Amino acid sequence: MGQRDLVTNKCLSDAERYADLINAVVFNGEQRLHSEELQEVDSKSVISGWLYKYGYKGWQLYRDVVKKVAFGANFAVVGVENQDEVHYLMPLRSMAYDLAEYEKQASKIGKLIRKKKNITSAEFLSHYGKQDRLHPCVTIVLFYGKDWDGSKELYDLIDFTDIPEEMKGYVNNYKVHIVNVSKWENVERFKTDLKQIFGFLRCANDKEKIKELTDNDPEFQSLDEEAYDMLAEYAASSVLKRLKKKYCKGGKVNMCKGLQDWAAEERLVGMEQGIEAFVQDKLEDGKSKEEIVSKLILRFQLDDVKANNYYQKYGVR
């Protein structure tokens, strides 16, 4: 597991963020779930049982993040998978995750069935009772790339050329729930700092929009460290990682101040590059150093301190 996976899983494993994510994606922002209604689940699943007999011995699947979500007396198992790149077999992969979870549940029921005193032949065969039920399983895929051009359902992976429509109706489909983070329009649905994470990643390549976003949202002045780390990883910015060292205090990062200083640094670097290009151009034109420095001061409106630095640099005076 890479650094990005570790950072992301740590951030999303937080119960409040996880509930917030489900509320935003599944329930359109309605506050149906709360953090206390979530339970931890082992992220490792092993497909066994009847699949075990057919060569899948030791097939272990590791979810990125998974939790039990309570609904009254029942619960669902909700897993979240993080994808930097398009996975062209995602329907098959998601189906395998869900299958592993259902198989895990069925295995537990099977153990109880075998302990029964009066077991029927059907229960013995199935390791499952007529009245038994599995808990629903949901997989949400968070995609951090630009465009998902892969399959969104099992049918997309299957070649139905010349297959009769009647036959196609007997082939079960399986759909994948893709959330494109960089194009998520409904950041207002979030009630935690996922709002800042999703909002920032939407405009990570547009400095003007980033400035507008961070200037207008006071939460960026004290962003939780875990949220900042995830944001920095997916923004793929070494600058953000560097700024954290200076502006992180007590587990909070003043992102607004950091970005302001970063912008000032970039302006300074840009000016220095402009000055170097200006000087080189004038030297090639045969201008004297005294004339170049004089024009330099006027062109870039240098103060006395900076002007004196260039006088010394070019040996003028």
Side-chain angles (χ1 to χ4, degrees), residues 8 24 31 54 76 103 160 176 218 253 258 260 272 310:
T8 306
Q31 300 302 289
Y54 294 96
E103 223 280 330
F160 284 109
V176 181
V253 182
Q260 288 171 3
E272 292 292 338
Y310 281 99

Side-chain angles (χ1 to χ4, degrees), residues 300-315:
F300 292 93
Q301 298 181 345
L302 302 181
D303 57 29
D304 291 342
V305 174
K306 290 182 179 179
N308 187 57
N309 290 338
Y310 281 99
Y311 279 128
Q312 294 179 1
K313 180 177 181 178
Y314 293 104

